């Protein structure tokens, strides 16, 4: 009869233990922590203090929303071959869209309004390294994000993207109709904002527009309009 021989390896006691322990927490650990739930974003932020961990958790909620919008737009845009180049940079573009608060894009209310007041549930714990005694806070958030809000953000993005594209085209089309130095400066300023904002071919179009408007300075002429004793009137001509 064959005998089954079992060999046991005894590891050092401390090697079997976790390197960290929970030194404090906000209460009983909820079942949703580190999980997935429909219509919710569940994230965890870390930091040296509970405030830092909380702030990082809110930032992660924002990033998750941006990524959700990016994935949704990418999925629908892939059906249109004309937007193929745009898809390659969609995540970068949306991140700029989400964080840009200049007059060119305007704030996005839902993204700008992510606060603890809207959090359904939260849980935090303080972890302590058993060897170094270093402490780290983990702040878990369960944030409501129903699909209808996602679709609103996608629509808002597309509307704003269309508006910015139209703004770019209008500025480029108006380069031959400039009548004042102020208009040149205004157009160059707007094109700089758009060039910083776009990440696709429209960035190059905005930069080219800046060059064209700057070249107008070289065509400026002062033309005498009227002259009287002690008085000369000149006009700017392009």
């Amino acid at each position: 009869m064959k005998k089954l021989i079992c060999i046991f390896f005894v590891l050092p006691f401390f090697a079997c233990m976790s390197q960290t322990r929970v030194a404090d927490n906000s209460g009983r650990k909820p079942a949703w922590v580190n999980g997935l739930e429909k219509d919710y974003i569940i994230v965890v932020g870390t930091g040296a203090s509970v405030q830092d961990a909380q702030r990082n958790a809110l930032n992660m909620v924002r990033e998750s929303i941006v990524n959700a919008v990016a994935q949704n737009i990418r999925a629908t845009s892939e059906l249109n071959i004309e937007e193929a180049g745009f898809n390659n940079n969609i995540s970068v573009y949306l991140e700029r869209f989400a964080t840009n608060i200049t007059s060119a894009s305007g704030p996005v209310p839902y993204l700008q309004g992510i606060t603890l007041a809207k959090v359904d549930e939260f849980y935090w714990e303080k972890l302590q390294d058993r060897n170094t005694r270093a402490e780290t806070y983990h702040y878990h958030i369960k944030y409501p994000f129903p699909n209808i809000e996602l679709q609103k953000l996608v629509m808002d993005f597309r509307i704003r993207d269309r508006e910015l594209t139209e703004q770019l085209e209008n500025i480029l089309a108006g380069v031959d109709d400039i009548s004042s130095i102020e208009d040149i400066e205004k157009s160059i300023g707007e094109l700089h904002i758009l060039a910083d904002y776009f990440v696709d071919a429209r960035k190059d179009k905005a930069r080219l527009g800046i060059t064209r408007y700057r070249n107008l300075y070289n065509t400026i002429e002062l033309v005498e309009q009227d002259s009287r004793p002690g008085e000369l009137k000149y006009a700017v001509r392009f």
Side-chain angles (χ1 to χ4, degrees), residues 124-141:
W124 63 263
E125 57 186 11
K126 179 172 68 173
L127 301 180
Q128 186 180 68
D129 189 285
R130 295 180 184 276
N131 298 324
T132 66
R133 300 298 181 182
E135 296 177 344
T136 304
Y137 286 84
H138 287 187
Y139 200 98
H140 300 262
I141 282 180

Side-chain angles (χ1 to χ4, degrees), residues 16 43 63-64 79 113-114 131 135 164 178 182 192 197 231 238:
C16 297
V43 298
E63 291 176 7
S64 296
L79 299 177
I114 294 175
N131 298 324
E135 296 177 344
L164 292 179
I178 290 296
E182 289 76 14
H192 271 299
Y197 182 80
E231 181 180 354
F238 294 90

Side-chain angles (χ1 to χ4, degrees), residues 22 24-30 122-125:
V22 178
D24 195 7
N25 56 47
S26 59
R28 184 175 180 179
K29 191 172 185 177
F122 71 91
Y123 168 77
W124 63 263
E125 57 186 11

Side-chain angles (χ1 to χ4, degrees), residues 139-150:
Y139 200 98
H140 300 262
I141 282 180
K142 183 180 179 183
Y143 197 90
F145 187 54
N147 186 64
I148 188 173
E149 293 294 345
L150 171 61

Side-chain angles (χ1 to χ4, degrees), residues 36-175:
L36 295 172
E37 286 194 27
K38 183 180 178 181
D39 292 333
Y40 283 96
I41 292 176
I42 297 176
V43 298
V44 55
T46 62
S49 67
V50 67
Q51 291 80 11
D52 288 341
Q54 181 187 89
R55 182 168 52 252
N56 290 332
L58 289 176
N59 286 337
M60 291 187 67
V61 169
R62 191 163 179 244
E63 291 176 7
S64 296
I65 291 176
V66 170
N67 289 332
V69 175
Q71 292 172 6
N72 186 279
I73 292 179
R74 181 186 292 110
T76 56
S77 296
E78 283 175 351
L79 299 177
N80 189 341
I81 192 171
E82 294 178 357
E83 298 186 27
F86 172 68
N87 291 331
N88 294 334
N89 296 308
I90 185 66
S91 297
V92 177
Y93 188 23
L94 279 164
E95 180 62 24
R96 293 186 184 181
F97 171 72
T99 58
N100 194 330
I101 57 174
T102 65
S103 59
S105 66
V108 184
Y110 193 86
L111 291 176
Q112 301 297 329
I114 294 175
T115 64
L116 287 176
K118 296 182 180 180
V119 172
D120 266 18
E121 296 184 60
F122 71 91
Y123 168 77
W124 63 263
E125 57 186 11
K126 179 172 68 173
L127 301 180
Q128 186 180 68
D129 189 285
R130 295 180 184 276
N131 298 324
T132 66
R133 300 298 181 182
E135 296 177 344
T136 304
Y137 286 84
H138 287 187
Y139 200 98
H140 300 262
I141 282 180
K142 183 180 179 183
Y143 197 90
F145 187 54
N147 186 64
I148 188 173
E149 293 294 345
L150 171 61
Q151 298 307 320
K152 286 180 180 178
L153 281 176
V154 169
M155 182 179 298
D156 188 48
F157 171 81
R158 291 191 178 278
I159 291 174
R160 291 175 185 273
D161 178 69
R162 191 179 306 117
E163 290 174 347
L164 292 179
T165 301
E166 291 176 356
Q167 180 186 4
L168 174 63
E169 296 299 335
N170 290 336
I171 296 174
L172 296 179
V175 69

